[in-house]
Amino acid sequence: QKEVEQNSGPLSVPEGAIASLNCTYSDRGSQSFFWYRQYSGKSPELIMFIYSNGDKEDGRFTAQLNKASQYVSLLIRDSQPSDSATYLCAVWMGKSTFGDGTTLTVKP
Amino acid sequence: DVKVTQSSRYLVKRTGEKVFLECVQDMDHENMFWYRQDPGLGLRLIYFSYDVKMKEKGDIPEGYSVSREKKERFSLILESASTNQTSMYLCASSLESGSANQPQHFGDGTRLSIL
């Protein structure tokens, strides 16, 4: 079992829809959770981070953390073609571990 | 804005060479990281450092070493380059803040080809 697993994708949504990206992790002691966006040929850039159970909203993005179920998700509302990218979930569990990423395509 | 600078964007080396990849950050971050990214394998941690002269092995340290003589600089060394080390290498840095790790800021990456 991978330490950090993301829904395999690719994920395709129409413009204006909600995109839902999911991530599960194996270490119950994990404290910090991050979502990065990576455009093709570019390096990852931070979208959201979350430390506490519940929801955290930033503009069109909402991160949701449920430590009891060991999952963290990212919702993108009103998806735009510019949101088309690979989204990486990262978990700090004494070291930094990334999921393999979910590729999102938003179709105009 | 945090700036993480990797010395080369593209690099071509030969099998058996000793290869140095350099990374410098300008925000006085305590933590620095080296990853490699390969299609289908995601981002994998090679080494990280939480202080000067300190280093910790990541998930795939074999064939690599690191050096952190100054806080702002973290070097990745391929002792004897092999073709299976052809990859995109990414450096990152973050602040240290107790138990809750801070977000990482990435450099632009070095695409290394070993011939």
Side-chain angles (χ1 to χ4, degrees):
Chain A
Q1 182 191 0
K2 289 186 176 182
E3 294 177 290
V4 178
E5 293 204 57
Q6 296 185 238
N7 39 347
S8 56
L11 179 65
S12 180
V13 300
E15 185 174 355
I18 296 175
S20 177
L21 303 161
N22 299 314
C23 175
T24 59
Y25 59 94
S26 60
D27 187 344
R28 283 196 173 274
S30 300
Q31 300 278 350
S32 311
F33 308 88
F34 308 90
W35 283 100
Y36 293 85
R37 177 177 63 199
Q38 187 174 26
Y39 292 115
S40 181
K42 301 291 186 182
S43 58
E45 56 179 337
L46 180 73
I47 298 294
M48 297 278 294
F49 62 92
I50 186 166
Y51 300 144
S52 305
N53 274 330
D55 294 0
K56 180 181 180 182
E57 188 173 316
D58 183 1
R60 296 186 296 111
F61 299 93
T62 299
Q64 299 174 318
L65 175 61
N66 184 323
K67 290 187 177 181
S69 301
Q70 294 175 241
Y71 84 78
V72 56
S73 63
L74 180 70
L75 299 178
I76 306 174
R77 290 182 300 280
D78 188 25
S79 295
Q80 301 297 309
S82 59
D83 294 327
S84 299
T86 297
Y87 289 81
L88 302 171
C89 171
V91 179
W92 182 266
M93 36 178 95
K95 62 180 175 66
S96 174
T97 302
F98 282 75
D100 289 345
T102 300
T103 298
L104 171 67
T105 300
V106 180
K107 296 189 174 179
Chain B
D1 263 3
V2 176
K3 184 71 174 175
V4 179
T5 303
Q6 295 185 228
S7 54
S8 304
R9 191 77 175 94
Y10 299 94
L11 203 55
V12 180
K13 296 291 183 181
R14 298 223 171 260
T15 304
E17 280 193 72
K18 190 169 186 176
V19 181
F20 294 85
L21 302 183
E22 306 287 345
C23 176
V24 177
Q25 50 93 4
D26 66 358
M27 286 302 292
D28 204 33
H29 284 175
E30 290 81 7
N31 300 330
M32 296 189 74
F33 307 82
W34 274 107
Y35 298 89
R36 61 178 286 177
Q37 188 171 33
D38 302 285
L41 295 176
L43 206 60
R44 293 180 291 168
L45 181 65
I46 304 171
Y47 268 98
F48 66 103
S49 168
Y50 51 86
D51 202 351
V52 175
K53 296 190 185 296
M54 304 302 288
K55 61 183 180 184
E56 293 286 343
K57 292 181 179 179
D59 297 316
I60 51 163
E62 296 79 19
Y64 303 94
S65 63
V66 290
S67 173
R68 193 163 180 204
E69 296 297 318
K70 293 184 178 181
K71 190 175 186 179
E72 67 270 19
R73 186 180 297 271
F74 193 35
S75 304
L76 180 69
I77 304 154
L78 285 66
E79 298 290 344
S80 177
S82 64
T83 54
N84 63 11
Q85 293 178 309
T86 291
S87 186
M88 170 67 85
Y89 289 86
L90 289 160
C91 175
S93 72
S94 70
L95 275 171
E96 175 60 41
S97 64
S99 60
N101 190 254
Q102 294 294 312
Q104 294 177 37
H105 301 264
F106 285 84
D108 289 337
T110 296
R111 187 163 292 283
L112 174 64
S113 296
I114 307 296
L115 304 179

